[in-house]
Amino acid sequence: MNALLLKKTGRTAALAAAMGAALASAGCVSAFEPRTDAASPLAPRIQQLVGENRQYPRWADFPAASRDLPAPAAIAADVGRLESRNAALTADVARIEWTLNQDPAAFLDSVNRRIDADQMSPLTVRTPEQVEAFAEELRQRAKAPPPIDRPRPQ
């Protein structure tokens, strides 16, 4: 009796699942044929673009596969050369005497000593009064000349 009930229940469940799948896929049918609102001002342009791009590309439209590919041994040799160059570059960088990681205070002292050793320009030795007098002289020279009298048209 249980076997007969199981057969009937199994058929009913399969039939219900098939009906559910059919109803679910029926809702998607309209998604594959989208319609453009005819009242839209962009409708003609949209229809034109859809019409132009309706065809799918053919295999003949795709570029052919490259035939002159390097052999795996050549690729392995190139990789080996790159790795050896990388090792040589790493060794060169390791031999450089980097001075940027020294004590900042010592670096500042060495810069100050180099600056103090240079002879200063005579303009930087002036007193503040001399600098102000020079600035005032420049201001006087920068003043615009008086306007020229021009005869007025009558």
Side-chain angles (χ1 to χ4, degrees):
M1 172 112 175
N2 287 339
L4 183 61
L5 182 64
L6 185 58
K7 285 183 182 179
K8 287 183 181 179
T9 309
R11 285 186 201 145
T12 307
L15 183 62
M19 292 287 284
L23 286 174
S25 65
C28 298
V29 170
S30 63
F32 298 114
E33 286 294 326
R35 304 203 189 282
T36 306
D37 183 14
S40 171
L42 295 175
R45 177 71 177 139
I46 293 171
Q47 285 305 111
Q48 176 191 0
L49 289 172
V50 168
E52 289 172 358
N53 298 309
R54 192 169 296 277
Q55 296 216 354
Y56 291 103
R58 300 171 302 149
W59 280 115
D61 297 335
F62 288 96
S66 297
R67 291 194 176 97
D68 56 343
L69 295 175
I75 294 173
D78 288 344
V79 169
R81 277 194 298 275
L82 285 174
E83 287 177 350
S84 66
R85 287 180 186 168
N86 183 24
L89 179 63
T90 303
D92 288 345
V93 168
R95 276 185 261 134
I96 294 175
E97 186 177 322
W98 297 101
T99 58
L100 298 176
N101 59 356
Q102 293 177 349
D103 182 30
F107 178 71
L108 180 64
D109 289 340
S110 70
V111 169
N112 285 336
R113 272 185 264 121
R114 282 184 293 184
I115 291 174
D116 291 341
D118 291 340
Q119 190 171 15
M120 297 183 73
S121 166
L123 294 176
T124 58
V125 180
R126 294 184 178 174
T127 64
E129 292 80 20
Q130 291 172 327
V131 171
E132 286 298 323
F134 179 68
E136 184 59 34
E137 179 187 338
L138 290 178
R139 284 188 208 104
Q140 294 301 323
R141 287 178 50 192
K143 283 187 180 175
I148 299 172
D149 289 336
R150 295 188 179 149
R152 295 187 182 201
Q154 295 182 13

